[in-house]
Amino acid sequence: MKNKLLSLAVLLLVNFANHAQKVEFETYQLSNGMDVILHQDNTAPVVTVSVMYHVGAKDEHPERTGMAHFFEHLLFEGTKNIDRGEWFKIVSSNGGSNNANTTDDRTYYYEVFPSNSLELGLWMESERLMHPIINQIGVDTQNEVVKEEKRLRVDNQPYGKFLENVKLHMFKKHPYKGTTIGKMEHLDAATLEEFQAFNKKYYVPNNAVLVVAGDIDVPSTKKMIEDYFGPIPRGEDIVRNFPKEDPITETIRAKAYDSNIQIPAVVTAYRTPAMTERDAYVLNMLSSYLSTGKTSKLYKKMVDEKKMALQVGAFNISQEDYGTYIVYGLPLGDTTLDNLIAEIDEEIVKVQTDLISERDYQKLQNIFENNFVNSNSSIAGIANSLARYHMLYDDVNLINNEIDIYRSITREEIQAVAKKYLNPNQRLVLEYLPETEKAK
């Protein structure tokens, strides 16, 4: 009876997802190469204007790391027609909000306005692209801002260099070996001309997608987009040819030290395929199976039942060129790091050896159906998804049908993918230790 009820719940959720999450959109391209995506939703008087640029930390010169993230800050400094310090004032005084973020693969800027301020949002983003003021005053100001962010989020944050050390050992050739925030000495050494050259190369319309979503009139929106973005000159085409990583064929062992922690951690990390590959989706499901929620396999076993770990988790970092599958644990009491690894490996071997139960499989489907329903519950979320699917997946339709990929994944695939990627000879084992352990 329980299985029947569970199946009924899944069926109802699938039907709801199919109905609730259908996102209508229109795509086209300006003559300068800028891609445009429009999504009309007149249910609330709100509009999101966003631009995603295909530039991230992987595009930086290896001696100028942090440049892409730095630009996320620098391009709020001002433009030819927006004075320094006025950007945020203009947004807030018109009832809006805005933000930006950077990854290894892209940089994203957006404003959320009452729909009667749509033209203002378009003008501001066109100003950022066409008339940015990149001068020494702005560079010096944002240099201090970025340094403070690094101190707060990385240098003084417990386990703040966790991912940095994983990437350092997982990638020897590809620029994913660096961090998004970069090295401060690289930014200190950069000249004004280098910042200007970075802007000229990457902040061009043919390296961007503009998304306008919300309470819009499509014909008038198209006219405004043409008026504000159409005159911006096309830039040089960007050619990427990053080096390929050699396969990992034997265990990489490493240690890292953190002055901000007292409890050590252990990490096992595996290089996985790009986010567009089907196996990446399977690995996402596998990480949920192992560590999403208190009833997940690793948490229930190691935290709840055996009380070996304060925390344990698994997650797949999907990126444009490669992914990284990470499993980690923090020991409790006298548990050693080796014991943690052994218990984690035991659960992975179970997945490789036996099919997960039908009940656990249905639970996974519930999780991903729910994530799908929630992912586009706001206009800002829809704008982000449209930009991301276009730029990094080259398939905007994923906003509506990505869930079909998860629905089609079988228990046999989960087993096969675990066998393919999660093997001891294909991984990094990193001991992340308190600084006091360094002298021992």
Side-chain angles (χ1 to χ4, degrees), residues 1-102:
M1 183 62 162
K2 287 183 179 179
N3 287 337
K4 289 182 179 179
L5 290 174
L6 186 61
S7 298
L8 177 61
V10 172
L11 179 61
L12 290 173
L13 188 55
V14 167
N15 288 335
F16 173 72
N18 283 334
H19 174 73
Q21 291 296 110
K22 180 68 174 177
V23 176
E24 302 290 344
F25 59 87
E26 178 183 351
T27 64
Y28 65 100
Q29 190 177 78
L30 301 181
S31 60
N32 57 16
M34 186 172 214
D35 292 313
V36 180
I37 306 175
L38 303 180
H39 165 67
Q40 184 178 15
D41 182 344
N42 303 118
T43 57
V46 177
V47 66
T48 295
V49 176
S50 68
V51 183
M52 183 175 286
Y53 294 91
H54 201 175
V55 57
K58 70 180 181 185
D59 295 298
E60 300 157 350
H61 187 281
E63 295 301 316
R64 291 294 181 266
T65 60
M67 188 78 79
H69 171 257
F70 193 90
F71 263 82
E72 175 201 318
H73 292 261
L74 187 61
L75 291 184
F76 284 103
E77 271 289 300
T79 74
K80 179 180 177 181
N81 297 300
I82 301 175
D83 293 338
R84 281 192 74 238
E86 292 298 309
W87 186 285
F88 295 100
K89 293 179 184 178
I90 293 172
V91 172
S92 60
S93 65
N94 284 276
S97 61
N98 67 288
N99 213 330
N101 52 73
T102 308

Side-chain angles (χ1 to χ4, degrees), residues 409-420:
I409 292 170
T410 65
R411 295 187 295 158
E412 288 78 10
E413 277 187 282
I414 293 171
Q415 181 185 41
V417 166
K419 286 182 179 179
K420 183 176 181 180

Side-chain angles (χ1 to χ4, degrees), residues 1-228:
M1 183 62 162
K2 287 183 179 179
N3 287 337
K4 289 182 179 179
L5 290 174
L6 186 61
S7 298
L8 177 61
V10 172
L11 179 61
L12 290 173
L13 188 55
V14 167
N15 288 335
F16 173 72
N18 283 334
H19 174 73
Q21 291 296 110
K22 180 68 174 177
V23 176
E24 302 290 344
F25 59 87
E26 178 183 351
T27 64
Y28 65 100
Q29 190 177 78
L30 301 181
S31 60
N32 57 16
M34 186 172 214
D35 292 313
V36 180
I37 306 175
L38 303 180
H39 165 67
Q40 184 178 15
D41 182 344
N42 303 118
T43 57
V46 177
V47 66
T48 295
V49 176
S50 68
V51 183
M52 183 175 286
Y53 294 91
H54 201 175
V55 57
K58 70 180 181 185
D59 295 298
E60 300 157 350
H61 187 281
E63 295 301 316
R64 291 294 181 266
T65 60
M67 188 78 79
H69 171 257
F70 193 90
F71 263 82
E72 175 201 318
H73 292 261
L74 187 61
L75 291 184
F76 284 103
E77 271 289 300
T79 74
K80 179 180 177 181
N81 297 300
I82 301 175
D83 293 338
R84 281 192 74 238
E86 292 298 309
W87 186 285
F88 295 100
K89 293 179 184 178
I90 293 172
V91 172
S92 60
S93 65
N94 284 276
S97 61
N98 67 288
N99 213 330
N101 52 73
T102 308
T103 71
D104 287 347
D105 297 315
R106 93 295 180 273
T107 307
Y108 185 63
Y109 303 84
Y110 67 93
E111 287 79 37
V112 180
F113 276 119
S115 52
N116 59 5
S117 292
L118 167 60
E119 186 169 6
L120 174 63
L122 291 170
W123 172 71
M124 293 184 76
E125 284 301 334
S126 69
E127 275 290 300
R128 192 199 307 272
L129 180 55
M130 192 174 189
H131 298 130
I133 299 296
I134 300 174
N135 57 25
Q136 197 62 52
I137 295 173
V139 169
D140 292 343
T141 300
Q142 294 307 320
N143 188 288
E144 290 304 314
V145 172
V146 171
K147 284 180 178 177
E148 181 58 29
E149 180 180 343
K150 185 174 186 294
R151 284 190 286 266
L152 180 66
R153 296 186 178 182
V154 179
D155 297 342
N156 299 326
Q157 181 73 26
Y159 307 98
K161 296 183 179 181
F162 171 96
L163 186 57
E164 174 182 336
N165 281 281
V166 170
K167 294 175 70 175
L168 180 66
H169 294 287
M170 290 298 291
F171 298 99
K172 300 300 183 182
K173 299 179 180 180
H174 192 279
Y176 281 163
K177 64 186 176 183
T179 63
T180 305
I181 203 162
K183 296 181 179 179
M184 293 305 99
E185 59 266 30
H186 289 174
L187 293 175
D188 288 341
T191 64
L192 179 60
E193 290 74 22
E194 286 177 303
F195 286 108
Q196 292 169 337
F198 190 90
N199 181 78
K200 182 179 180 181
K201 180 176 182 178
Y202 292 108
Y203 280 83
V204 292
N206 46 302
N207 194 45
V209 56
L210 166 68
V211 179
V212 182
D215 184 25
I216 62 173
D217 173 75
V218 172
S220 61
T221 300
K222 286 184 174 181
K223 184 180 185 309
M224 285 187 280
I225 289 172
E226 182 61 41
D227 289 344
Y228 287 113

Side-chain angles (χ1 to χ4, degrees), residues 161-339:
K161 296 183 179 181
F162 171 96
L163 186 57
E164 174 182 336
N165 281 281
V166 170
K167 294 175 70 175
L168 180 66
H169 294 287
M170 290 298 291
F171 298 99
K172 300 300 183 182
K173 299 179 180 180
H174 192 279
Y176 281 163
K177 64 186 176 183
T179 63
T180 305
I181 203 162
K183 296 181 179 179
M184 293 305 99
E185 59 266 30
H186 289 174
L187 293 175
D188 288 341
T191 64
L192 179 60
E193 290 74 22
E194 286 177 303
F195 286 108
Q196 292 169 337
F198 190 90
N199 181 78
K200 182 179 180 181
K201 180 176 182 178
Y202 292 108
Y203 280 83
V204 292
N206 46 302
N207 194 45
V209 56
L210 166 68
V211 179
V212 182
D215 184 25
I216 62 173
D217 173 75
V218 172
S220 61
T221 300
K222 286 184 174 181
K223 184 180 185 309
M224 285 187 280
I225 289 172
E226 182 61 41
D227 289 344
Y228 287 113
F229 290 90
I232 302 174
R234 181 186 181 95
E236 295 290 330
D237 290 338
I238 296 168
V239 178
R240 293 177 173 86
N241 187 24
F242 298 121
K244 305 294 184 183
E245 289 288 339
D246 297 323
I248 298 172
T249 57
E250 59 182 35
T251 303
I252 303 168
R253 297 191 178 274
K255 294 182 180 181
Y257 299 90
D258 189 334
S259 61
N260 299 306
I261 66 171
Q262 295 180 326
I263 299 172
V266 67
V267 182
T268 58
Y270 309 79
R271 195 183 307 132
T272 55
M275 55 172 49
T276 53
E277 298 293 326
R278 183 177 176 87
D279 285 355
Y281 289 94
V282 181
L283 287 161
N284 290 341
M285 293 194 84
L286 181 56
S287 65
S288 288
Y289 172 77
L290 290 174
S291 71
T292 295
K294 293 186 178 181
T295 60
S296 62
K297 297 304 175 184
L298 290 179
Y299 186 96
K300 186 176 180 181
K301 173 185 178 181
M302 299 176 65
V303 178
D304 192 15
E305 295 176 356
K306 291 194 173 184
K307 294 180 172 47
M308 297 177 63
L310 284 170
Q311 189 175 344
V312 65
F315 54 96
N316 185 43
I317 302 176
S318 291
Q319 295 181 275
E320 189 174 21
D321 300 333
Y322 291 100
T324 306
Y325 194 90
I326 293 175
V327 189
Y328 70 94
L330 277 67
L332 179 63
D334 296 330
T335 304
T336 66
L337 298 184
D338 286 341
N339 286 341

